[in-house]
Amino acid sequence: MKRHLISAADLSREEAVLVLDTAAELASVAGRPIRKLPTLRGRTVVNLFYEDSTRTRTSFEAAAKRLSADVINFSAKGSSVAKGESLKDTALTLEAMGSDAIVIRHGASGAPHRLAGWVTGSVINAGDGTHEHPTQALLDAFTIRQRLGSGDQHGADQRGTALDGVRVTIVGDILHSRVARSNVLLLSTLGAEVALVAPPTLIPHAVSSWPCKVSYDLDAELGKSDVVMMLRVQHERMTAAYFPSIREYSRRYGLDAGRMALLPEHAIVMHPGPMNRGVEIAAEVADSPRSTIVAQVANGVTVRMAVLYLMLGGAGESL
Amino acid sequence: MSDVTGEWLIKGASIVGGEVADIRLAGGMIAAVGPDLPAGAAQVLGAAGLVALPGLVDLHAHLREPGREDAETVETGTRAAALGGYTAVHAMANTEPVADTAGVVEQVWRLGQQAGHVDVRPVGAVTVGLGGKQLAELGAMADSAARVRVFSDDGHCVADPLLMRRALEYVKAFDGVIAQHAQEPRLTEGAQLNEGEVASRLGLAGWPAAAEEAIIARDCLLAAHTGSALHVCHVSTAGSVEIIRWAKSKGWRVTAEVTPHHLLLTDDLAEGYDPVFKVNPPLRAQADVDALRAALADGTIDCVATDHAPHPVEAKEAEWAAAAMGMTGLETALRVVQLAMVETGLLDWPGVADRMSVRPARIGRAAGHGQRIAEGGPASLVLYDPAAPPEAVDPATHASKSRNSPFAGMALPGRVVATFLRGTATVLDGKVTR
């Protein structure tokens, strides 16, 4: 593994499969009476969160703790960050405290790149602005492989396999979505065929250079999808004229029970959370057996364990 | 140190890249140009292999004083200018306080006089406090000791079309020109980088070319309607070039500038999120760079202006979105132009003299600058060594107080050897004389 995980593009196909295989291996820990491995004992992982995200922070925290790492949570609130300390000074402070890895969530695209230039330890991007969120893409890929494969629930039979030919449709605010950017890169690296569906206002400029296709018509794509991934719609987009109203958005791009019926029988529905029930996803869809939303959360912990394990030098030791 | 203000005999310079001749400077004027001039009492400066150009004129620099003396002062900024071969620099109005009154422009002008490295020509703000709401006292600035002729809200666009029309009209009374920072504000809210493949991939909010082009098109029409002089700052897109070319073909009074960085650098440099490459307007695509070079070559774009924008280290040592916009440029401009325009065959030395001295002096109404190197002309000129081996730019060696050069580490050709301002050597052997 590389020293940092900042973009899903940092991962080769082999490395990405290795993360998924390692996660599958580690998933068995969750079934043990004592869910803890000694692998990262004595190592320090800092969660540096400039944005509120209990979901992602606790996922990384649980992952690090299950590997016996020491975890320091450093949030913008209640720290010197709120007093205007620069990212660089915060980085140097954490470095001086002896952090082995910094997991960073930041509102500015590229903040993890900058951080990586100022510290000697590893940097893991836990979401930067509208850029990327690579561990979300890894947990999504893991979930897809787990659910669409034929093996047992821990996916042991899929070891070594990628996502060749799996058709994934990502729906919603692509323009501002770090989840979409990372998924397009990672899923295409793994051989999946990715389609983006959104109103034209929420499709990035020059998207034609991305390894995916683009459609404005959700209904036309659903029948051809093995996976449909719904993205959260931010309410502030409405005031910026990206679409006329939240109701119109929901009618044209929301996934309700009627639309879900257009999916092939085996297809799954994903959402990175938190959901706006009744906007991009109807409650009966979110709660249906097709939904992997809860599984994604559980898989988030194991995939992040795999990333920490591989990046902090756990590789080589037996599990 | 030699007596920098005495008589000089420059031996064997290539006059604007052409004939090799001696140049005698006396009394602030060029006393003679010709072969084998006698030295007499003059100090002799060997200039074999050097190109003599009229002193460069920058229409667009941020000297930061008053208010941001941590980034630059008139003293340090004009030292940098002289080292870059400049003899006149237009100082933009976005200081603190804003240069929107006769008092502030006179202060900047006096600081320039005291420094003495180049002529500082203050640019007056178009609107009070750069607020875009009310015209500043343009006439008072024009009548002040600073004799302001160029007015600009640079950093901000005069977006209100009616206010822009009035400003264009009003400055006709004293032969002024409005230099517009063309940026449609609504189309560029939060904009970070050229809207295109790189910005989309990096997740940086796009700055669309149309936001520049729409304002330029509007302002060209207003200039035509009012018969006024419009100058377009830092043109950055191929589409802008087309609009300006069209306006000029109509005979309208439109001029334009391009920065050295837009002639050489492209938006893919943002890939490491290093804000040293963050600038407004942003770095664009290679097709834009090619169009800008061609437009400068054919004269559609009149001149090179640096948009020298110094910032302290902490303003750039940040996340991209939080970092300041702007790049230093005074000390590297001529070398960049050699690389981008001369070595590509797009411009010869007379062309460089035209685009970096003659035309900007004319647009800025800078009397005594941009003159031919000939007997009776002002002794303001630069001696440049285009054959100096390419050397990596090291901002730590710059006279500017700030270090935010996007060319850091790039090997640029050429070297400014000496600069003369009205017969006084401001730079000798690549060093400021005082």
Side-chain angles (χ1 to χ4, degrees):
Chain A
M1 282 285 280
K2 297 180 175 65
R3 186 153 68 94
H4 307 298
L5 179 58
I6 291 175
S7 164
D10 295 341
L11 297 171
S12 67
R13 181 182 166 106
E14 292 68 30
E15 287 169 324
V17 170
L18 176 64
V19 174
L20 302 189
D21 289 351
T22 305
E25 199 80 38
L26 290 164
S28 62
V29 175
R32 294 184 190 175
I34 297 174
R35 301 177 181 176
K36 207 153 173 152
L37 292 169
T39 319
L40 298 184
R41 187 177 292 153
R43 315 300 294 274
T44 300
V45 175
V46 175
N47 284 324
L48 177 58
F49 274 58
Y50 285 80
E51 289 183 334
D52 286 331
S53 176
T54 311
R55 173 181 298 262
T56 304
R57 185 183 56 73
T58 51
S59 181
F60 270 105
E61 186 173 355
K65 285 181 170 170
R66 284 186 196 171
L67 294 170
S68 304
D70 295 320
V71 178
I72 297 172
N73 286 315
F74 194 103
S75 75
K77 282 178 184 147
S79 75
S80 49
V81 172
K83 298 171 197 153
E85 185 178 66
S86 74
L87 178 62
K88 182 179 181 180
D89 287 331
T90 303
L92 297 179
T93 300
L94 297 176
E95 182 81 351
M97 288 175 182
S99 63
D100 296 295
I102 298 176
V103 177
I104 179 172
R105 161 68 62 97
H106 201 291
S109 300
H113 279 85
R114 302 292 284 157
L115 184 66
W118 295 320
V119 299
T120 53
S122 292
V123 172
I124 299 172
N125 181 3
D128 63 326
T130 56
H131 177 225
E132 286 210 44
H133 192 359
T135 61
Q136 177 72 42
L138 284 164
L139 77 88
D140 289 338
F142 183 80
T143 305
I144 294 168
R145 195 175 79 162
Q146 185 183 54
R147 283 291 291 261
L148 295 183
S150 56
D152 67 20
Q153 63 176 8
H154 300 311
D157 284 358
Q158 288 103 37
R159 282 196 60 158
T161 65
L163 300 176
D164 294 297
V166 176
R167 299 165 300 176
V168 182
T169 301
I170 304 175
V171 186
D173 184 358
I174 310 296
L175 180 62
H176 301 95
S177 176
R178 50 197 176 207
V179 174
R181 277 178 184 72
S182 285
N183 263 310
V184 167
L185 291 168
L186 183 76
L187 298 178
S188 61
T189 295
L190 289 168
E193 296 166 16
V194 181
L196 302 177
V197 177
T201 47
L202 291 173
I203 295 286
H205 197 78
V207 74
S208 56
S209 62
W210 291 17
C212 60
K213 67 171 217 169
V214 175
S215 168
Y216 308 134
D217 183 352
L218 178 57
D219 289 339
E221 298 302 316
L222 288 175
K224 300 178 275 183
S225 303
D226 302 308
V227 176
V228 57
M229 185 183 298
M230 305 305 296
L231 300 175
R232 177 180 171 82
V233 179
Q234 308 281 351
H235 280 271
E236 63 261 30
R237 304 293 172 230
M238 200 171 70
T239 52
Y242 287 102
F243 43 82
S245 74
I246 205 84
R247 293 322 317 162
E248 169 148 327
Y249 178 87
S250 185
R251 276 194 298 274
R252 293 176 69 85
Y253 295 99
L255 188 62
D256 58 14
R259 282 214 172 95
M260 185 166 67
L262 299 174
L263 288 167
E265 197 173 346
H266 66 275
I268 58 173
V269 175
M270 307 182 76
H271 194 297
M275 287 181 281
N276 289 309
R277 286 175 184 251
V279 179
E280 72 269 5
I281 190 165
E284 54 266 53
V285 177
D287 298 332
S288 78
R290 291 181 186 274
S291 165
T292 63
I293 294 160
V294 176
Q296 285 171 268
V297 176
N299 291 338
V301 177
T302 43
V303 163
R304 286 168 180 131
M305 284 173 77
V307 168
L308 289 168
Y309 174 82
L310 292 168
M311 289 184 71
L312 292 185
E317 299 172 29
S318 63
L319 290 177
Chain B
M1 180 175 282
S2 49
D3 175 14
V4 296
T5 58
E7 287 190 22
W8 286 92
L9 181 66
I10 298 164
K11 291 290 289 180
S14 167
I15 310 298
V16 197
E19 58 158 331
V20 173
D22 298 348
I23 310 167
R24 174 184 285 281
L25 313 181
M29 306 297 284
I30 296 174
V33 177
D36 301 321
L37 297 178
Q43 299 169 85
V44 177
L45 181 61
L50 306 186
V51 173
L53 301 170
L56 307 184
V57 176
D58 191 6
L59 269 177
H60 191 146
H62 298 273
L63 300 183
R64 301 296 188 217
E65 193 176 4
R68 288 308 302 270
E69 293 83 355
D70 57 328
E72 196 80 282
T73 62
V74 172
E75 165 67 24
T76 59
T78 55
R79 284 172 84 90
L83 285 167
Y86 287 90
T87 52
V89 163
H90 292 74
M92 273 298 170
N94 63 338
T95 48
E96 299 168 21
V98 171
D100 58 0
T101 62
V104 177
V105 293
E106 285 193 355
Q107 180 197 357
V108 173
W109 178 74
R110 289 217 165 80
L111 288 166
Q113 294 268 300
Q114 286 162 17
H117 305 297
V118 301
D119 285 349
V120 172
R121 299 185 48 79
V123 173
V126 177
T127 66
V128 174
L130 309 175
K133 299 287 183 212
Q134 182 192 348
L135 285 185
E137 290 195 347
L138 308 178
M141 291 188 274
D143 293 342
S144 75
R147 312 298 296 171
V148 175
R149 290 295 178 272
V150 182
F151 298 89
S152 181
D153 275 3
D154 181 62
H156 301 266
C157 183
V158 181
D160 179 336
L162 182 64
L163 203 58
M164 186 61 184
R165 175 200 167 142
R166 297 286 187 245
L168 283 165
E169 286 177 316
Y170 191 80
V171 300
K172 287 165 78 175
F174 34 84
D175 191 30
V177 58
I178 303 295
Q180 174 72 294
H181 172 116
Q183 176 179 5
E184 213 298 311
R186 281 281 284 157
L187 286 172
T188 50
E189 283 175 12
Q192 298 293 328
L193 185 64
N194 177 44
E195 185 159 311
E197 187 273 327
V198 180
S200 292
R201 178 158 43 87
L202 297 184
L204 294 173
W207 199 129
E212 174 174 306
E213 294 154 5
I215 292 292
I216 294 175
R218 180 199 77 175
D219 289 352
C220 286
L221 296 171
L222 290 174
H225 184 65
T226 58
S228 299
L230 168 72
H231 178 72
V232 184
C233 295
H234 42 53
V235 171
S236 72
T237 79
S240 297
V241 166
E242 288 307 306
I243 293 163
I244 292 163
R245 186 172 283 137
W246 168 74
K248 286 192 163 190
S249 76
K250 300 279 193 182
W252 300 343
R253 299 175 64 199
V254 175
T255 57
E257 70 190 32
V258 62
T259 68
H261 47 270
H262 287 113
L263 288 173
L264 196 61
L265 309 178
T266 48
D267 58 355
D268 53 319
L269 288 164
E271 290 194 359
Y273 293 94
D274 184 345
V276 78
F277 299 111
K278 182 176 177 180
V279 65
N280 196 22
L283 299 179
R284 303 285 187 185
Q286 188 60 47
D288 296 301
V289 170
D290 294 342
L292 294 168
R293 289 181 179 187
L296 184 65
D298 71 20
T300 300
I301 292 177
D302 299 83
C303 61
V304 175
T306 63
D307 196 5
H308 176 79
H311 288 290
V313 170
E314 63 272 18
K316 287 287 190 181
E317 246 180 13
E319 310 84 274
W320 182 280
M325 295 182 284
M327 306 170 161
T328 60
L330 283 167
E331 289 165 82
T332 46
L334 185 52
R335 297 170 68 195
V336 171
V337 168
Q338 183 187 343
L339 180 62
M341 301 299 295
V342 180
E343 294 189 354
T344 52
L346 289 166
L347 220 50
D348 54 14
W349 290 109
V352 172
D354 183 66
R355 308 299 196 275
M356 296 188 79
S357 178
V358 177
R359 289 220 229 176
R362 198 184 298 150
I363 294 164
R365 280 65 167 165
H369 291 278
Q371 307 292 308
R372 290 179 56 230
I373 298 179
E375 188 180 326
S380 296
L381 49 93
V382 52
L383 298 174
Y384 183 69
D385 181 7
E391 196 177 318
V393 173
D394 178 7
T397 65
H398 284 175
S400 169
K401 250 190 182 182
S402 292
R403 300 288 170 257
N404 54 303
S405 169
F407 308 109
M410 278 185 68
L412 295 179
R415 176 171 177 263
V416 172
V417 175
T419 309
F420 290 87
L421 174 63
R422 282 183 294 277
T424 298
T426 55
V427 171
L428 281 177
D429 193 25
K431 295 180 186 64
V432 178
T433 54
R434 62 167 187 167

